Amino acid sequence: MKPTDTNKAQDPRQFHYTALPILDASPNRISPVSPSQLFAIRLFRLTIVALFAMLIWWAGQVANSKSELNESVSLIDAQRIFPEATRLEWRKSPANSFTVLIDDDIPIGTILRTAPECNDLIGYSGPSDLLVGLHHDGSIRQVVLLSSLDTESHVQAVRQSLRFWDSFRGWQPKIDLQPPFDGVSGSTLTSRAMLESVIRRVTGDSPSLRFPRTLTLDEAKQFFPSCVDLRFDVPKLGWATLFDRTETTLGYLLRTSPIADNIQGYRGPTDALLAIDRDQQTILKVAIRNSFDTPDYVARVRDNPQYLEQLCEPSLANWAILKLEASGIEGVSGATQTSYGLAEGIRRRAIADVQRLSATIPFPNPGLIRNVALGFVILGALAMMFTRLRHVRWLRRVWQIIVVVVFAIVLTDLLSMSLLVGWARNGIPFQLAPTLVVLAVVALVVPWLTKQPFYCQQICPHGMVQEWVGRLNSRKLHLPRRLNRVARALPNFLLVAAILSSVIATHVDLSTWEPFDAWALRCTVWASTSIAISGLVASYFLPQAYCRFGCPTGALLGFIRSHGRNDRFGSMDWLSGLVLVVLAAVVWMNTPRDLLPFANQGQGTAIRKLSGEFSGTAWSVTFRDPVVRPAELRDQIAREIERVEAIFSSKRANSAINRINASQTALEMEIDDELFEALQALQEDRVTTTGTQVANEFDANVFQLLPEHRTLKKNRPDSVIKLNSSLNKIVAEKIGKLLHATGQTEFSIRIGSDTFAE
């Protein structure tokens, strides 16, 4: 400021003007923060959001660990698809699959679950568990939804779509990889995830009723003698990986069944086994496992090493494009149709593998249109925000119309707390919705870097419609200052409440807290629709009413947004840090011992429960010690129960004890050693898992055990041995031995109404 001339009369207005810089330089003025402080504040907020996402995921893991781990299929569930079913027979591969049996142990179909193998297929915000019933020919009888972690409103829309569920009936995914239907409008991501789950489970190493015998370790050793372990569905569905003692991969085994089950050679199909080198392409050996073709013709092919070596020459990739007529592969003389059937089975198996690798869902689907449309919206929004186009008023109006129409007709999936929390808990759906993931990343990163409310201003159609409604009224209401401050705090309150409920009550449906599901116009969600209509009505009187006073998703984006050099560490930052610490402490205290770091050094206890079906009743095992690989342990228990039933169960037509009952003789009979020892122990009241005696259920006049010959003699030809509840004790003893072998020391076994503690 230049000094004024004292000889001239001073103009008061000039003096006032020159005094302004002095007032601006007042010591009460708040100085902007330094760049390093600003970056620290922004980094803190980004870290807080990341930590909350991790906490939500961890809370979900804790909730799952406390729930009953039952990956089996109950008879009651199976009867929803097969009402005539009387028993289920567990299968080793694929996991969670069962042969459905009726009276006299006649198989009528196969039933399997999509979980947990397809839990990585996230719909809108979570995976779904489906029950799939298959006919003998591999066609689908029915698909039933068991449970879902997806957004409830989207799941409900799919559940009510009769067309979606009816379209599964009769479809043969193993033959026709293209389904005869698309997803459910308004719940596209949810229905597509369910559809892909069925495809993955059925077109992998799906169960074959014609060739039900699964691969064994002995079979693997015929190809790789040093093999000590084989793992199914690794590295691909339908494959088995072989390992030596050092956990080194030796190679792979691949069956042509069930892909080739409908290929007739001369009189029937053939199941072949391919030994694959570690490059996953070179075929080392081809062998016939089993066949319904004419035995003489099958023997001619099996005994012709030149022909089998000829089948090994093309790689798997070449088999997928091979034309047998022009390939030069000659059939076996005298067994031409059988040998061609074998070659065609290999070709179809290779084609199925290539089709699975070539696309996430191997058929044209509306996901491509959705991804292209959303990509266009993202790029257009970036252009409207960061180029000169943002100053063209008429173009902004056109852009808003395009966005609203695209979201209302094509996309319907907006960013929301329900979506983001679901991803944090269940995983991010890169496979099904890659551009939606990109949108979420851009919506978080752009405001963090540039101070611009990118998503709220340029993409959110609900905000745009509010802006249109607001223009209809030129006389807006103005809230009193205090009321306005309270109202503006409401989105932050809802954001904190949403995070609290996501961590403490993991199954709260957050989609009913926001209006965004109302944009799925073909999916009626009354709570969301009510909020949407209320927000639009309020925006007639108050500009952007819902955005300013009710949107928790907007509060999240606003929290992470940079505010430039005037940014400060405020009350919301303190509150977020405090809530994070408290919630982390709550989750830590509720975390089972086996999920905690350094669990072996702690003093807490963890309970893990495995359960399943047994002889028309249920079994369960509850542990106190941490369980390593609970799904594998459950499979081991199920296999042991299956083996015991095959010997002791009177409900099995071909069990060892029923063969004794069916023999109309009083002569001395040789019986299974394990059965002999169990009957002998039961007669002496020595079979328990607790060491206490049990009542003798046997009539001494029914049979006699002859220890010197380890034989049994019925006192009358028509005598019948019934184990009744003693079978539960036998099963409990076998399970107890198995658990001890795996290192478990504290557990209780419950079979039916009987409990056995260890």
Side-chain angles (χ1 to χ4, degrees), residues 150-164:
D150 213 331
T151 302
E152 178 58 32
S153 57
H154 293 195
V155 174
Q156 188 65 19
V158 177
R159 187 181 285 117
Q160 294 174 352
S161 176
L162 297 180
R163 177 180 174 274
F164 178 76

Side-chain angles (χ1 to χ4, degrees), residues 537-574:
V537 171
S539 66
Y540 180 81
F541 302 99
L542 298 168
Q544 304 296 112
Y546 178 77
C547 297
R548 295 163 59 206
F549 307 130
C551 184
T553 302
L556 173 65
L557 298 177
F559 172 74
I560 205 172
R561 175 188 166 197
S562 169
H563 296 279
R565 298 195 66 189
N566 293 322
D567 212 345
R568 293 293 182 276
F569 194 88
S571 58
M572 192 61 184
D573 299 295
W574 286 107

Side-chain angles (χ1 to χ4, degrees), residues 352-369:
D353 248 36
V354 169
Q355 286 178 320
R356 287 189 206 102
L357 290 173
S358 62
T360 302
I361 300 181
F363 52 86
N365 61 80
L368 177 61
I369 298 175

